[in-house]
Amino acid sequence: MPARDHERREGGAARVTRRRARTRANLLDAAFEVFAAKGFGRVSIEEVCEAAGYSRGAFYSNFATLDELFFALYQERADLIAEQVAGALAVDGPDLDVPAAVDRVTEVLLLDLDWLLVKTDFLVHAARDRAVARTLLEHRARLRSAVADRLARARGHTALPAVLGDADGAAHAVVAAYDGVTTQLLLDKDVDGARAWLKQLLTALLTGGEGEPANPVDPVSPVDPAHPAHPVHRTRGN
């Protein structure tokens, strides 16, 4: 085969690959808008194709079913969240500045109402399909792992509240806080309030409620002179 013909065929294959990638991306973008507007269970393949401006043939050249497209869409957005969290936590050196890290996480974290609607649809779908549920659990495990890995690397320098146990326990608490705040956000639509509340929750969780990293060694309580065996327990404001 002449070298020029070979190069021409390679160039044509590359153009097809790029065109297919664009088609797939456009289908995902269109599906996201339709799913958010109508809900996963109320959307047809025809509606996705119409929104994207493609035929059913273009759809089936990229996805076997609507479920497969739905999962690909969820995977794309969920991976973005894991990357955002990991990136925000990776800025500090070994000595993790918890309040600053929480600020970064809450600023970059995806708190988009349309995404939360799609995410909730996926959760309900997964609750009825064990195979989808396993995949969702794997994603949540990756998100927790990204958080736990950073907390574990900082643990020798920055102590976590004892009540959380190890770094994995703290990561479970972080993800649970995110779940709770986003559920409230779906109902009240207050994005700024959700970011502020998430920031307060995460700071309280990771610092023991003091706004500073928990001290790995308990401070010595002052002793009541009248009862030397009993330390003085001061309340806030005293």
Side-chain angles (χ1 to χ4, degrees), residues 6-37:
H6 179 71
E7 290 173 0
R8 188 180 298 118
R9 290 189 180 185
E10 283 192 341
R15 284 192 296 274
V16 169
T17 300
R18 288 194 297 270
R19 185 166 63 247
R20 183 171 182 178
R22 281 197 305 272
T23 300
R24 180 184 174 88
N26 290 339
L27 283 167
L28 287 171
D29 288 344
F32 177 78
E33 294 180 5
V34 178
F35 287 147

Side-chain angles (χ1 to χ4, degrees), residues 39-54:
F40 171 67
R42 299 177 179 175
V43 173
S44 66
I45 290 174
E46 288 76 10
E47 287 174 301
V48 172
C49 292
E50 183 179 352
Y54 292 120

Side-chain angles (χ1 to χ4, degrees), residues 6-235:
H6 179 71
E7 290 173 0
R8 188 180 298 118
R9 290 189 180 185
E10 283 192 341
R15 284 192 296 274
V16 169
T17 300
R18 288 194 297 270
R19 185 166 63 247
R20 183 171 182 178
R22 281 197 305 272
T23 300
R24 180 184 174 88
N26 290 339
L27 283 167
L28 287 171
D29 288 344
F32 177 78
E33 294 180 5
V34 178
F35 287 147
K38 300 188 67 174
F40 171 67
R42 299 177 179 175
V43 173
S44 66
I45 290 174
E46 288 76 10
E47 287 174 301
V48 172
C49 292
E50 183 179 352
Y54 292 120
S55 66
R56 286 173 63 93
F59 179 93
Y60 284 116
S61 70
N62 287 276
F63 304 101
T65 64
L66 201 58
D67 277 18
E68 183 181 324
L69 181 148
F70 189 49
F71 174 73
L73 177 63
Y74 179 87
Q75 190 76 31
E76 180 182 79
R77 298 295 176 114
D79 286 347
L80 173 62
I81 289 176
E83 290 173 11
Q84 288 175 329
V85 171
L89 291 174
V91 173
D92 295 316
D95 189 9
L96 180 65
D97 182 343
V98 172
V102 167
D103 282 347
R104 290 194 300 272
V105 168
T106 52
E107 286 303 318
V108 303
L109 202 55
L110 188 63
L111 291 180
D112 176 75
L113 287 169
D114 285 344
W115 157 243
L116 295 177
L117 287 169
V118 173
K119 173 176 174 275
T120 301
D121 271 349
F122 193 84
L123 177 62
V124 173
H125 182 49
R128 295 188 173 95
D129 187 316
R130 298 185 70 177
V132 177
R134 282 194 296 272
T135 303
L136 179 57
L137 287 170
E138 288 170 4
H139 159 69
R140 289 173 68 84
R142 286 199 305 274
L143 178 58
R144 287 197 307 270
S145 179
V147 176
D149 179 65
R150 183 63 186 94
L151 295 176
R153 284 187 286 116
R155 198 169 187 191
H157 306 267
T158 305
L160 296 171
V163 70
L164 295 178
D166 58 10
D168 190 55
H172 272 81
V174 168
V175 174
Y178 172 71
D179 286 342
V181 167
T182 53
T183 298
Q184 180 67 26
L185 175 57
L186 275 174
L187 300 176
D188 64 23
K189 308 294 191 291
D190 183 1
V191 175
D192 291 337
R195 288 196 190 281
W197 183 224
L198 183 60
K199 186 179 298 187
Q200 291 176 25
L201 277 177
L202 294 183
T203 301
L205 278 170
L206 298 177
T207 65
E210 300 297 328
E212 296 291 338
N215 193 329
V217 180
D218 291 336
V220 177
S221 299
V223 175
D224 184 344
H227 300 281
H230 302 287
V232 175
H233 296 286
R234 293 177 177 167
T235 59

